[in-house]
Amino acid sequence: MDEPVPVTQSIESLYPNANIPAQQKRWQILMAHFEEKYGKRPLFVARSPGRVNLIGEHVDYSLYDVLPMAIAGDILVASALLDEKEDHKGGDNAVITMRNTDPHKHRASECTIPPEGIADIDATQHEWTNYFKAGFNGAVGLLRKSNAKFSPRSMQILVDGNVPAGGGLSSSAAFVCASALAVLRAHGREPVMKKELVELAIVSERAVGVNSGGMDQSASVFSIKGDALRVSFSPQLDAAAIPFPKVEPPITFMIAQSFVTSDKHVTAPQCYNLRVVECTLAAEMMAKTLALQLQDDSAPLARSLRGLQHVYYSRGKSVDGTDLTTGDSSTTYKTQLETMLSMVSSVLDRDDGYTREEIAMALSMSVSALEEKYMTKFPVNATRFMLGKRAQHVFSEALRVVAFKELLQDPTSLTRSDLLPRLGALMNETQESCREAYECSCPELDQLCTVARNAGAYGSRLTGAGWGGCTVHLVPMDRVGNIRDALIQKYYRIRDPDITEDKLQEAVIVSEPGQGSVM
């Protein structure tokens, strides 16, 4: 999918038909606010959507395939360059003026950029402008690869977003992608290629303090309206659209918010970043036990469980120099995963986890060296590391992705009465694994899933990082009303008896696969 980010003059192709009137009004308000604040119309608007992950949770940073889709909710970055006669009036520095359509919640800010510099980001401060700065820095880095003397110009931007922050729908990735796209286009990058945008956005978001794996950015940029998206990270980043089978009533996905905010940039040390570290250390510990030498790869900490699988099934050398005969390289990918999963319980056999001291000893390094290598760039807060449970989830979830993709690509092998329950069962298994093995669910997410299943959903699971946020439910279109009513009565009104109709409209949405990034 290494093709240009599309450019359009109309928003009709971006949203479901029922949403277009509301979106037209939203865009008109954005344009009017921009002209009010800056005295001119924007040159363009960069748009990137949020996403919902259908299956493949917490496996992207271990370099395994995922199956997300974009949603209609998005981030809009209206942009203009400062007039050349005004630009650099006070010197060579560029000034980035950042405003939001919700100024009471997100205050305006300015950032001064030296000619050869980048924007300063304080990852310890949870500022909304950090996400624009992250995209800005990534874009500037790419522009300087083709022109070492590149110097950014002053920009004026206005941001509007309707992807809930901390809701598990990747508002942060959408913001970084839209910001980078805006900066590239403002500085003459035409066309902007999807793959380069995704690759720089993956790295850029890590500057905000999260070890992101790449699924969120890929779904935001690569997605095609109407289709699911298969994203692969090994041996390199790749994406392909996967159409949904045509059945009656149509396959439909509902998204239900728990209203438990879980901002992974805030809770990262004990949640998201900790899981990245645990998966990395699981790969290192398994490699050590199997006498294998891992190679650096594109994972956040340069080592991954996918890398372990690759080495295990390569005809290379073990750490002692002897021939590797443990894995047959002709073995199918699915069988490889099943073998890796079967080894976890015997290789990582500590049910109560491992201490830093135990891991350091096993890896023949000091505790300080262990912390320096794996826990400094993105600090974590843990005394025990549950390596076996995390590896068990990753390998089993990778297998579920394989099964889900096979069902979507060959639906004729099953009747409708079999297809939807099979897809739903895989989603239910993911939820169980997220709750028991990966420990990233919470009681509210579990309750939403139970209520939806009891009301007729084929499959229900958390989506996104977890620890709050949203759930996704596979449902037939003719059951949407019943399931929504059940969620309202058995979750939302119990949680908040005074909940408003507007809040309920926000709480449960029917999601069609949306369009990725657009100019």
Side-chain angles (χ1 to χ4, degrees), residues 53 55-60 64-68 215 229-233 401:
N53 189 22
I55 200 159
E57 211 61 77
H58 282 285
V59 298
D60 55 337
Y64 284 106
D65 292 6
V66 294
L67 285 176
M215 172 184 67
L229 188 73
R230 187 270 301 150
V231 184
S232 299
F233 304 95
V401 172

Side-chain angles (χ1 to χ4, degrees), residues 3 19 55 78 189 204 213 239-240 282 319 338 345 356 361 453 484 493:
E3 58 191 22
N19 293 13
I55 200 159
R189 187 82 168 194
S204 296
V319 291
E338 291 170 341
S345 60
R356 296 173 193 236
M361 181 176 296
R453 289 175 196 156
R484 184 177 187 275
R493 292 206 184 280

Side-chain angles (χ1 to χ4, degrees), residues 318-394:
S318 66
V319 291
D320 61 4
T322 58
D323 288 334
L324 264 178
T325 57
T326 47
D328 182 351
S329 59
S330 66
T331 305
T332 66
Y333 174 70
K334 183 177 179 181
T335 301
Q336 289 183 16
L337 280 169
E338 291 170 341
T339 300
M340 302 308 294
L341 177 61
S342 69
M343 289 193 295
V344 171
S345 60
S346 59
V347 176
L348 299 173
D349 58 358
R350 293 288 297 274
D351 291 339
D352 60 342
Y354 298 80
T355 65
R356 296 173 193 236
E357 290 75 16
E358 289 167 340
I359 296 170
M361 181 176 296
L363 298 181
S364 303
M365 60 197 311
S366 66
V367 171
S368 60
L370 178 80
E371 293 173 339
E372 174 67 25
K373 185 172 183 179
Y374 301 106
M375 307 175 201
T376 300
K377 185 176 181 181
F378 299 95
V380 299
N381 181 14
T383 55
R384 303 195 74 84
F385 298 80
M386 311 303 290
L387 307 187
K389 295 175 75 172
R390 310 312 181 223
Q392 178 188 24
H393 167 79
V394 170

